[in-house]
Amino acid sequence: MSPGSERSQGLMSTLHHYPLCPHSRFARLALAELGVEVDLVEERPWERRDEFLALDPAGQTPVLVAEGGLAVPGASVIAEWLDETVGAGAGERRLMPDDPRARVEVRRLVAWFSGKFWDEVTGYLVNEKIYKRFVPPASGGGPPDMASIRAARANVRYHLRYIGFLAQRRNFLAGDALTYADLAAAAHISCVDYLGDAPWGEDEAAKTWYARVKSRPSFRALLADKIPGMAPADSYADLDF
Amino acid sequence: MSPGSERSQGLMSTLHHYPLCPHSRFARLALAELGVEVDLVEERPWERRDEFLALDPAGQTPVLVAEGGLAVPGASVIAEWLDETVGAGAGERRLMPDDPRARVEVRRLVAWFSGKFWDEVTGYLVNEKIYKRFVPPASGGGPPDMASIRAARANVRYHLRYIGFLAQRRNFLAGDALTYADLAAAAHISCVDYLGDAPWGEDEAAKTWYARVKSRPSFRALLADKIPGMAPADSYADLDF
């Protein structure tokens, strides 16, 4: 092996992800916005592969394997790692503000979407509509539970109104500039939209904000995702939805 | 008002917490280890007080109101805020390593305990045994669901073995020094222990690690906590349990 090939192998990071996992999508958006190229490896977390569990004992997507083999598990941990290693020197492309007080607001909203929105919306939809199709019945697979899907569809409305509330007062969700807060929110909403469960008539300001984020080049790869046997909603990849 | 009293009012932070909320306990330990004095205000998050929701729309404990009135919601966000504003200048008392690679491990474990351990253990126990006693039946209150409590009691065993696995290989959970990983883990386990559900015969290394953390001065206030009508388990405050 030449020194050159060794070097390029060491420098390319790998993201273990699942296309409709919203946490994975948040990590993909962050990497793309910061201009970090990665090899994408599709992981089906419900298979609980030994090699994947060795990278992350929690067995959850996404996991970034950075230069040198360091495993960075979980979208929020990946976001902090990228901010410290790439973002801090990225100037205007940085996805966190410099001011610690403003960083609180970004982290509050990232936790809101990664935690609360997942618990109340995307967790239900992704588990019921996608993961349960692939998991054997003995492990909890089977047809979707409609009560969970109805709960998600009710809950997403107040989350869209909250996004609209923020978007009417600020240029982006956490302030003047694009931050991880926008990427986390848009990643989760993109999964809801793929599955046809985004009620776009609910809040005009939220829709306008999402249209802006969705139009960014970092979003293109997400809009091209296709899950076999489950086509996206008609307007999913449409920038004028 | 004299300039002095104005200054001391502005400098004292307030932590809105619930005594047996493990996230609140993580924040209390972090504040105590860093030597930050705060006024503690007990909040019953299930009451959804308007003034509390104004501080944090998610309505979850803990919320730190820092100098100048900035609301910092959520234990992990509080930990990052404290690290940036106090920890970075605290020398050996800092609760995060300087190296970004080592910070990944701390954040991975904080997410493990705040997320996975909560979902599989403390969330069940605290909701079923405590919160449901105070919430009206129409809002989900009532007697504890024994299936949830049994699930928590089964799950805590493998978590203790995982703590033991780490503690046998490292001085503290994330490496050589005490970090937020130890405080998050010990905060959650202290709630399990208060409720009498910690199977201390399961893993000797985990027990030894917990005894060390529990003996720290930062833990004293937690060991003095009492929930009216629900006494702690006999060995809860005992340093030789």
Side-chain angles (χ1 to χ4, degrees), chain A residues 15 20 27 62 117 119 146 151-152 164 181 193 198:
Chain A
L15 186 76
L20 277 195
F117 194 93
D119 287 345
M146 289 311 295
D193 198 32

Short mmCIF file of all heavy atoms in Angstrom, two decimals, chain A residues 15 20 27 62 117 119 146 151-152 164 181 193 198:
data_model
loop_
_atom_site.label_atom_id
_atom_site.label_comp_id
_atom_site.label_asym_id
_atom_site.label_seq_id
_atom_site.Cartn_x
_atom_site.Cartn_y
_atom_site.Cartn_z
N LEU A 15 -20.21 7.32 7.75
CA LEU A 15 -21.41 7.49 8.56
C LEU A 15 -22.29 6.25 8.40
O LEU A 15 -22.75 5.94 7.30
CB LEU A 15 -22.20 8.74 8.15
CG LEU A 15 -23.38 9.03 9.08
CD1 LEU A 15 -22.91 9.63 10.40
CD2 LEU A 15 -24.40 9.96 8.42
N LEU A 20 -34.30 6.65 6.55
CA LEU A 20 -35.42 7.37 7.16
C LEU A 20 -35.31 7.48 8.68
O LEU A 20 -36.30 7.72 9.37
CB LEU A 20 -36.76 6.75 6.76
CG LEU A 20 -37.30 7.21 5.41
CD1 LEU A 20 -38.77 6.84 5.26
CD2 LEU A 20 -37.15 8.72 5.19
N ALA A 27 -27.47 14.23 11.14
CA ALA A 27 -26.01 14.11 10.99
C ALA A 27 -25.60 14.33 9.53
O ALA A 27 -24.59 15.01 9.27
CB ALA A 27 -25.55 12.74 11.48
N PRO A 62 -27.43 7.44 14.13
CA PRO A 62 -26.24 7.24 13.32
C PRO A 62 -24.99 7.05 14.19
O PRO A 62 -24.99 7.42 15.37
CB PRO A 62 -26.13 8.58 12.58
CG PRO A 62 -26.59 9.59 13.60
CD PRO A 62 -27.69 8.88 14.38
N PHE A 117 -39.73 15.84 20.01
CA PHE A 117 -40.36 15.60 18.71
C PHE A 117 -40.27 14.12 18.34
O PHE A 117 -41.20 13.52 17.81
CB PHE A 117 -39.68 16.47 17.63
CG PHE A 117 -40.45 16.56 16.33
CD1 PHE A 117 -41.35 17.60 16.10
CD2 PHE A 117 -40.28 15.62 15.32
CE1 PHE A 117 -42.05 17.70 14.90
CE2 PHE A 117 -40.98 15.71 14.11
CZ PHE A 117 -41.87 16.75 13.91
N ASP A 119 -40.10 11.61 20.56
CA ASP A 119 -41.02 10.88 21.45
C ASP A 119 -42.48 11.05 21.04
O ASP A 119 -43.30 10.18 21.28
CB ASP A 119 -40.89 11.38 22.90
CG ASP A 119 -39.60 10.93 23.56
OD1 ASP A 119 -38.94 10.01 23.03
OD2 ASP A 119 -39.24 11.50 24.62
N MET A 146 -52.44 1.82 14.64
CA MET A 146 -53.03 3.08 14.15
C MET A 146 -53.19 4.12 15.25
O MET A 146 -53.14 5.32 14.97
CB MET A 146 -54.39 2.79 13.48
CG MET A 146 -54.26 2.08 12.14
SD MET A 146 -53.05 2.84 10.99
CE MET A 146 -53.81 4.44 10.68
N ALA A 151 -51.74 9.51 17.09
CA ALA A 151 -51.13 10.39 18.09
C ALA A 151 -50.05 11.26 17.44
O ALA A 151 -49.99 12.47 17.66
CB ALA A 151 -50.52 9.56 19.22
N ALA A 152 -49.22 10.65 16.60
CA ALA A 152 -48.16 11.40 15.92
C ALA A 152 -48.75 12.49 15.04
O ALA A 152 -48.26 13.63 15.01
CB ALA A 152 -47.31 10.45 15.09
N GLY A 164 -43.44 27.63 13.57
CA GLY A 164 -43.94 28.86 12.96
C GLY A 164 -43.78 30.05 13.90
O GLY A 164 -43.38 31.15 13.48
N ALA A 181 -30.01 23.75 15.15
CA ALA A 181 -31.44 23.72 15.49
C ALA A 181 -32.29 23.55 14.24
O ALA A 181 -33.22 22.74 14.21
CB ALA A 181 -31.84 25.00 16.24
N ASP A 193 -42.61 14.21 6.34
CA ASP A 193 -43.04 14.59 4.99
C ASP A 193 -42.93 13.41 4.01
O ASP A 193 -43.83 13.19 3.19
CB ASP A 193 -42.17 15.78 4.53
CG ASP A 193 -42.79 16.53 3.36
OD1 ASP A 193 -44.04 16.59 3.28
OD2 ASP A 193 -42.03 17.05 2.53
N ALA A 198 -47.18 15.25 6.95
CA ALA A 198 -46.93 16.65 7.32
C ALA A 198 -48.12 17.51 6.88
O ALA A 198 -48.37 17.64 5.68
CB ALA A 198 -45.64 17.15 6.67
#
